[in-house]
Each structure stands twice: as structure tokens, then as C-alpha cells.
Amino acid sequence: MIASRFWDFAGAFAHPVTAVLVGGAVAVIVAASLVIFVLARARKVGPALEKELWLRTFSWALIVPAIVVPVLIGPAWAILAVGALGLLCYQEYARATGLFREPAVSVAVVAGILFLVFAALDHWYGFFVALFPLGVVVIAIASIPQDRPEHYIQRTALGVFAFLLFGVGLGHLGFIANDPLYRPVILMIVFAVAVSDVSAFTTGKLIGGPKLLPATSPNKTISGSLGALAAATVFVSLTAGAIYGDALALWQRALLGLLIGACAQLGDLMLSSIKRDLHIKDMGAVIPGHGGVLDRFNSLLLVSPAVFHYVHYLIGFGEAQPIRLITGS
Amino acid sequence: MEDWRFKPAADLGLTPAQRLRSLQREAGLPGAIGQALWWNAMRLYAAAVHRVRVEGREHLPAEPPFVLVANHASHLDTIVLMTSLTRAQSRRAFPLAAGDTFFDAGLSAAFAAGALNALPVWRSRTRRQEIDALRARLADDRCIFILFPEGTRTRSGEMGAFKPGLGALVAGSEIPVVPAYLDGCWRALPPQRKLPRPLPIAVRFGPALRFADRANDKDGWHAVAAASEAAVRTLGGLAPRGPAPPAAS
């Protein structure tokens, strides 16, 4: 039982939607490379832009397998990969806010994220949910013994915010891996976010018009935002239909798409707000052409819990699956 | 309500490779864990294998910042000095390590940054702005710098002359320089050997020197270096160095 949670190659492409989504992602990267190559050959783009485009495509060619491969291999790897993503996001956030200079709070946040990963691996929803308030309790008390009350609220609030975003929020994406349909569902969520991002960029560039929230993010337009909502709605209506069939009515699937499109953009705007408040441009420089890990994955922070509870309410996740795989006897 | 004060990491926005070599590097939780593992292992090693004896610990200032300078005979030197500090002190301590030896290759740089908490000094091509960055960081972040002003390990066993770069870090400031003499490192691990001999090592700290009245210029730097070298020689019971031999033409 445990072993099949790690190694389930037979199940990798068992669902046709998984195969279509993975094939589609590979095709998009290959097509993008060809377009850049042709444009560069025809001297339609300058060398600087060409280099920038290659850098971004190359980064995508690393990001896509980093997401897809763990999801394909087995649910345990998907949960561990989401946990690792949460830790990387926390590291960038802590360095950007200065919270990394408070080791007691940092250790509490990291421990909270690791316990959430364990609860997801164990498929123990009760513990998973219990960790939300308990994690807050531990972070709140972490720095009290230092007898250093100045800036207590700031470091505690920064820690709680981080735990709720990178542990609890992202953790819901990992918990989905306890469902037999987790491969197409997780890939649908991640790719819907990508579709939303790309559509916001392209419709914004094509149509232009008034800015959305210029003080927060000067490049986003209202037209781009609506384009992203439309694209996410169409993509999710089709994909969720192929995954769930009649279990979700068309309006319910469209609403799921709207939910993902809205939360993805709000996650983006949330990170923009954080960066503006800190007066920094990027959260890091780990991914060439993208900035930090958070700059790329910010949208998933808000999308994951929203999608989880929407689908959980309408259909359920992992309902008939064995629970407490590690702690149960 | 007053604004919260945020202080992002000084090395934010650098790529991972740049961070390893940055003078502004600030270790987060991963670095702190790596350094705690390494230096606690080294405390055991120094006590068990070299029975390190520490004299004059009372000369170490209670509060950073300060600069620790010593004679340089082996790769054990940094280990002996670092493990002679209290744990609280060693968490604030940065060994200044030769960039061309420790920070060229990626793996070696990762070790020097992640485990040793070392900062790179590029011996032959140190730029003024790098010295200024180190000087500013020493004061602003209240660091301890561990420095071997000879610039390289002695190849003969004789202590060499101190280079003036030390002076550029402290001349004209209140930051104390603590001289230390390392006894036994040469016999335990001379540069020609690969593995250390399990011989005893002693370290003697001397009274802190202050150079607030020295000008932060070439003459001041040389004076700081000469005074620090004399203090280390005295601790080691060595004769003062005579006038420099005439430069070969």
C-alpha cells in the first residue's frame, strides 16, 4: 500500500486527461522554441529579446518536468514536491521580509509545514485541519521565551501569514494527491493557472485599455484580467468535464474555472502588494527570467485551498480511500 | 500606527552562485543548520584529537564587533580559533578565506559558505569597494572577522609579515583587534601534509588593540598591520621582525 504511494508507474498515464495535459505542455514548449528559432532566423527579434525569450523557455522546460514528474510517479512524491515548494517559498519570503533573522519563528513555521506534509502523506484529514490552529499557536509562542517583546507582533504576524500561505494554502494542493484522480486534477489546476497568466499577458497586450490596480502592479490591465478569467473558465470547463463527466454540471465547472482564474490573479496581486510594501522587485533570482520561486508560483497559494474546498463540497476528495496510512494500525 | 520596519536580506536578488561568493551573504535557516553541524563536529574534533588549550580568553571582547588575527600555518588554524569562541560568538564569526582557494569551484564555495560561513577575499585582485564593503559590514552587522594577515600559510614554519589589508578594515574605528598566537598547528598539519597528525595545539589570546587614532590611509594601514604583527609575535615569544629585507631588483 505504502509502496504504491511512491511508485505507481502503471497509473502515470492511466487517465487520458493526464496524457493530454502532459503532451500539451511538451508541445507548447517545443512550439515556443520553434517560433523563437524562426523569428530569430528571420531577424524579427533583436538579440537581447531573443536571449530573454530563450531564457524564459528554458526555465519553463525545467519547471514543467519539476511539477509533472513527481505528480506522475506517485502521490507521495506529489505531496513531497508540494511540501518542498512550500519550503522554498517560505525561504524567499523570510529573506525578503527579514523574518529569517528570527530563528525561533522560522523553525516553528518550517516545522508546521513539515507536519502538514506528514498529515497529507498519512491521509489524515483530521490532523491536517487540526494543524491550522495548532501551527498558529506554536508560532505565537515561539519567540515568547526570548523575553524580547519589541516587534513581537511583527515577527509573529509575519510567521503566521507565511504558515497559512505556504503551509496551509499550498498544503491543500498536496492533500489532493490522496484522491485517485489526483493526477489530472493537480495538472488541471497548475495548467489553468498558467493559462490564466499567459492570457492576462496576451489579451492585455492586444487590447490594452485602463490599468487594473496601477499602484500595486503597473502592467496589469482590466482587459487582461477579463481575458484571463475567460480563458481559465473555458480551459477548466473542458478539462473538468473530461475528468468528472456529469458529476459536475457545466455551470459548476464554469464556476470552478472562474474561481481559479480569480484566485490566480489575486495571488499574483497579493505577491505584488508584498513586494511593493517591501520595496523589492523580485523575491529571488533562482529561476532565470522569472525571478524567484514565489514570483512563479504565487497564484497557487490562493487557488489551492479554494479549489480543494469547492470540489470537496461538491464531490469530495479521496472519499473511499484508506486513511491514516502511517499512523493507523 | 507606525510603519513596520522591514529589513530584507542584504544579498537578496543574487543568483545562488553569486550569493555563495557575496560579501553581503546572510545565512538563513539552512546555513545556520549547516554551520551548527559543522562547527559542533569541529569542537569535538579539536578537543578530542588536538586537546586544544586556550589561554587568555578573557581578552575577547564581550560583545562583537571585533577582528581576530593570528599567525597562519595550517588549515587547522581557522578551526582552532572558531572553536575557541563561545557558541554565541561563533555564530557571529566569519572567517575571511582566500577566494582563489575556497570560492572558485562551486562545490568548494558551497562548503565554505554553507558550513564555514566564510567570506571570500581575492588576494591578488581585491578592489577598494570590496574592502569598504567588509569594513561596513563588520561595524553594521556587529560581526567577528577571523583573519590571517600573512595572506597565506607559512611554508617554512616562520611567521611572515602582516599585510596592510587588515588596517583598511579597522584603522580610524573603535573596533578592537584581538591578537592570537597558534602554537602546534604547524607540526600538526604543515602545508605539505594532506592529513593532520594528532598533536596538541595551544592558542593564546592577547589584549585587544584599538586603532581609533590611526588614519584610514596607506600609512595608517601599515601601522595597524605592524602593531598587530608585533602583538602576535610577542604572544608567541618570537623576536620582533627586523627591517624588511631589501626588495630584489
Side-chain angles (χ1 to χ4, degrees), chain A residues 178-204:
Chain A
N178 289 303
D179 190 89
L181 284 173
Y182 83 93
R183 286 188 182 92
V185 172
I186 289 181
L187 293 181
M188 175 186 74
I189 294 171
V190 175
F191 291 166
V193 167
V195 165
S196 160
D197 282 0
V198 172
S199 309
F201 181 79
T202 44
T203 47

Side-chain angles (χ1 to χ4, degrees), chain B residues 62-131:
Chain B
E63 286 292 324
F66 60 88
V67 179
L68 208 49
V69 297
N71 56 317
H72 198 16
S74 79
H75 284 316
L76 294 173
D77 300 359
T78 306
I79 293 170
V80 173
L81 288 177
M82 195 75 154
T83 55
S84 302
L85 300 175
T86 65
R87 281 190 172 76
Q89 284 170 329
S90 74
R91 277 194 287 272
R92 306 207 64 84
F94 295 82
L96 301 191
D100 47 89
T101 310
F102 290 93
F103 284 91
D104 260 344
L107 210 61
S108 157
F111 170 75
L116 305 181
N117 202 24
L119 296 177
V121 178
W122 303 92
R123 287 183 284 205
S124 52
R125 48 188 171 97
T126 307
R127 286 191 305 255
R128 182 62 206 255
Q129 67 209 59
E130 290 168 347
I131 297 275

Side-chain angles (χ1 to χ4, degrees), chain A residues 95-96 98 101 151 154 278 285, chain B residues 5 7-9 11 19 26:
Chain A
R95 287 171 48 73
R101 295 192 190 86
H151 304 305
Q154 179 174 349
L278 295 171
Chain B
R5 270 175 290 140
K7 191 178 164 202
D11 54 345
R19 259 194 82 199
E26 291 195 77

Side-chain angles (χ1 to χ4, degrees), chain A residues 91 95-98 100-101 106-107 110 151 154 157-158 277-278 280 283 285-286, chain B residues 4-16 18-19 26-30:
Chain A
Q91 186 184 22
R95 287 171 48 73
T97 55
F100 76 109
R101 295 192 190 86
S106 263
V107 166
V110 168
H151 304 305
Q154 179 174 349
L158 283 172
D277 200 6
L278 295 171
I280 58 174
M283 297 298 283
V286 183
Chain B
W4 283 4
R5 270 175 290 140
F6 295 109
K7 191 178 164 202
D11 54 345
L12 197 75
L14 301 182
T15 65
Q18 290 170 332
R19 259 194 82 199
E26 291 195 77
L29 206 50

Side-chain angles (χ1 to χ4, degrees), chain A residues 294-327:
Chain A
L294 257 176
D295 293 298
R296 190 61 268 143
F297 291 99
N298 51 49
S299 303
L300 286 175
L301 303 176
L302 302 188
V303 167
S304 303
V307 171
F308 180 92
H309 287 292
Y310 182 78
V311 176
H312 196 238
Y313 174 70
L314 291 175
I315 296 179
F317 272 125
E319 294 292 315
Q321 298 303 304
I323 61 167
R324 300 193 61 180
L325 296 161
I326 304 165
T327 54

